[in-house]
């Protein structure tokens, strides 16, 4: 029975597969091919090669080794699914925070691979969005810090109160078509501490 497979563009996806047992890797390859995906089985060297290219990574293991841990962190741009029933709560939390989907049991012959892939893609997208939001907040905080520093220097050098210094910075930034953060950087370079 052929299931609907492939990725969101409608083409067959290449799923990278690794298992600590060659027979299990072959079973998983057959299983994903039933869903219309093209399996590519990786040995340990291929898994750790650093050039992991595909549309998803599925790992089935009985033991969460250092090699598996490294592989799960290398392919962070891929949806990653780990089938393993011997993970501590901390290991599961670390993997989830990295955007990997953890299935806390061994991979069976009737695994709903397509559902796991959808979940893994959604989880990875969510983690990436959270990272982007976190990065944007860091930039905003840094800009705010620079603006406050520049405002303080302007207050000291020009004898202005806080509101007047802010208004002077704001009107200058608007007149020069710069952001407040860019003006603050320039002021911090121009005014001695």
């Amino acid at each position: 029975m052929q299931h609907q497979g492939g990725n969101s563009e409608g083409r067959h996806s290449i799923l990278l597969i690794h298992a600590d047992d060659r027979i299990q890797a072959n079973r998983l390859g057959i299983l994903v091919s039933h869903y219309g995906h093209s399996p590519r089985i990786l040995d340990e060297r291929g898994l750790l090669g650093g050039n992991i290219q595909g549309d998803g990574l599925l790992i089935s293991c009985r033991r969460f080794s250092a090699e598996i841990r490294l592989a799960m962190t290398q392919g962070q741009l891929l949806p990653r699914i780990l089938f393993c029933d011997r993970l501590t709560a901390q290991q599961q939390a670390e993997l989830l925070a990295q955007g990997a989907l953890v299935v806390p049991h061994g991979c069976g012959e009737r695994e709903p691979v397509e559902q796991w892939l959808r979940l893994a893609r959604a989880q990875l997208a969510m983690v990436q969005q959270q990272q982007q939001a976190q990065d944007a907040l860091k930039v905003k905080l840094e800009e705010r810090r620079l603006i406050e520093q520049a405002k303080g220097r302007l207050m000291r050098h020009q004898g202005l109160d806080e509101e007047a210094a802010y208004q002077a910075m704001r009107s200058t930034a608007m007149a020069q078509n710069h952001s407040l953060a860019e003006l603050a950087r320039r002021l911090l370079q121009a005014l001695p501490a």
Side-chain angles (χ1 to χ4, degrees):
M1 176 175 159
Q2 188 74 9
H3 299 278
Q4 281 291 352
N7 61 20
S8 59
E9 290 88 35
R11 66 177 177 82
H12 291 291
S13 59
I14 298 170
L15 297 180
L16 308 173
I17 296 169
H18 176 76
D20 51 13
D21 172 340
R22 189 76 176 163
I23 294 171
Q24 179 63 12
N26 288 331
R27 278 191 205 128
L28 193 49
I30 291 168
L31 180 63
V32 301
S33 67
H34 285 296
Y35 284 92
H37 301 285
S38 299
R40 187 172 138 215
I41 296 175
L42 302 174
D43 59 11
E44 193 170 283
R45 189 178 58 184
L47 184 66
L48 299 175
N51 191 17
I52 297 177
Q53 294 185 357
D55 299 305
L57 174 63
L58 285 74
I59 296 178
S60 178
C61 62
R62 291 175 296 230
R63 188 177 62 83
F64 189 57
S65 65
E67 292 81 11
I68 301 292
R69 181 188 308 261
L70 181 60
M72 293 301 284
T73 60
Q74 282 181 343
Q76 289 196 9
L77 298 178
L78 293 175
R80 292 158 291 143
I81 303 170
L82 176 66
F83 296 94
C84 185
D85 58 359
R86 293 189 178 117
L87 293 175
T88 66
Q90 181 180 350
Q91 290 170 328
Q92 289 182 28
E94 288 171 7
L95 289 166
L96 290 170
Q98 295 170 9
L101 181 66
V102 177
V103 181
H105 60 75
C107 183
E109 291 184 23
R110 295 192 175 267
E111 258 338 297
V113 172
E114 203 60 39
Q115 292 173 351
W116 293 131
L117 280 169
R118 275 195 297 276
L119 285 171
R121 288 180 184 123
Q123 183 169 331
L124 180 61
M126 183 180 66
V127 168
Q128 289 173 337
Q129 287 172 346
Q130 288 173 341
Q131 186 62 50
Q132 288 170 352
Q134 184 178 6
D135 292 346
L137 284 173
K138 284 179 184 177
V139 168
K140 291 286 187 193
L141 283 171
E142 178 60 18
E143 288 176 350
R144 191 81 211 133
R145 186 185 67 77
L146 291 173
I147 292 167
E148 291 300 319
Q149 281 182 342
K151 186 170 59 172
R153 283 195 196 171
L154 193 58
M155 289 167 61
R156 280 194 304 277
H157 285 276
Q158 299 294 319
L160 301 172
D161 66 10
E162 187 174 357
E163 181 62 29
Y166 177 77
Q167 289 302 327
M169 286 176 62
R170 185 170 169 238
S171 62
T172 302
M174 287 173 51
Q176 294 179 359
N177 200 23
H178 292 298
S179 68
L180 268 176
E182 180 58 34
L183 178 66
R185 282 186 192 91
R186 290 180 182 199
L187 282 173
L188 289 172
Q189 290 173 349
L191 297 174

